[in-house]
Every structure is written in structure tokens, then in C-alpha cells.
């Protein structure tokens, strides 16, 4: 008896093949990677890593000036855009995230647009 392929049969076949490929790729990555620790395994000779810098963004307002610095002026690749400092419209912390926002506006600098 021969079964015809329908769109539903094809979706089921593709789903099974896709899941099999994902499992195969995951197994291959766990087997060959020395920097990746696979679930349920301990890696022999794994080096411990030390955190050297972080910012948890646990406040609202401008980014912490002890951890972040601004580049100001026309400084990159001859771009016709001006980088500003300490403007919450462009860089701010809100809801635990650092928001960096490029804006198309005119800002007076030293009395000039």
C-alpha cells in the first residue's frame, strides 16, 4: 500500500528531521568542544575564569561615569555626526538595561547648530 505525501505528512517528516539534526549537532558540539561544558558532565582540567569587569545597571539615569566614558565630537570615519556626552536622550540606564540611542536632531554646541 502506498501512502501519498500531504502537507501535514511533510510537516511531520520535516519536524522529525529537524529535531534529529539539532540533537546531532548538540551531541557533536559537546563531544568536540573543550570550552563548552555539556549538561550533566564535568570537564576534566577546566580552567576557572575570573570576572574582571561588570555593570549591573541597578540605577536609573546616566551610565556610571566610573565604568563608562564618552567619546565626543566628529571622531569616527569622517562621519557627519557629532558624538555627545552626558545626554540622557542618547545614553541612559532604565529597567536594568543600558540604552544607547542614536538621534537625528540638532544640538547647539558652543552657540552653533
Amino acid at each position: 500500500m502506498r501512502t501519498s505525501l500531504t502537507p501535514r505528512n511533510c510537516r511531520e517528516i520535516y519536524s522529525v528531521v529537524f529535531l534529529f539534526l539539532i540533537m546531532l549537532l548538540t551531541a557533536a558540539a559537546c563531544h568536540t568542544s573543550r570550552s563548552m561544558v555539556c549538561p550533566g558532565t564535568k570537564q576534566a582540567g577546566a580552567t576557572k575564569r575570573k570576572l574582571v569587569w561588570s555593570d549591573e545597571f541597578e540605577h536609573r539615569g546616566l551610565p556610571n561615569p566610573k565604568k563608562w566614558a564618552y567619546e565626543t565630537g566628529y571622531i569616527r570615519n569622517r562621519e557627519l555626526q557629532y558624538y555627545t556626552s552626558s545626554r540622557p536622550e542618547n545614553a541612559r540606564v532604565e529597567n536594568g538595561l543600558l540604552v544607547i540611542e542614536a538621534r537625528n536632531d540638532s544640538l547647539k554646541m558652543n552657540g552653533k547648530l
Side-chain angles (χ1 to χ4, degrees):
M1 175 190 254
R2 191 172 173 167
T3 305
S4 63
L5 288 176
T6 65
R8 182 177 177 189
N9 290 348
C10 288
R11 279 194 305 266
E12 291 172 359
I13 292 169
Y14 290 143
S15 296
V16 170
V17 170
F18 178 75
L19 288 175
F20 175 77
L21 288 174
I22 294 295
M23 290 176 9
L24 183 65
L25 290 172
T26 302
C30 287
H31 180 69
T32 60
S33 176
R34 290 186 178 153
S35 64
M36 182 174 159
V37 177
C38 300
T41 65
K42 288 188 178 180
Q43 197 169 17
T47 59
K48 292 190 177 190
R49 297 177 190 238
K50 180 182 175 186
L51 180 64
V52 294
W53 184 88
S54 72
D55 193 341
E56 304 306 322
F57 306 114
E58 295 174 336
H59 68 283
R60 289 185 62 81
L62 293 172
N64 183 345
K66 293 179 182 175
K67 297 181 178 183
W68 296 94
Y70 297 95
E71 294 181 329
T72 59
Y74 297 102
I75 57 171
R76 297 277 173 219
N77 303 321
R78 296 185 215 142
E79 297 172 338
L80 295 177
Q81 60 189 23
Y82 190 87
Y83 291 83
T84 60
S85 69
S86 303
R87 287 186 74 205
E89 300 94 328
N90 298 112
R92 64 190 171 279
V93 175
E94 60 183 39
N95 301 321
L97 301 171
L98 174 62
V99 178
I100 301 173
E101 184 175 338
R103 302 175 64 90
N104 184 9
D105 62 2
S106 296
L107 174 68
K108 283 192 176 185
M109 302 297 291
N110 299 327
K112 299 177 184 177
L113 284 179

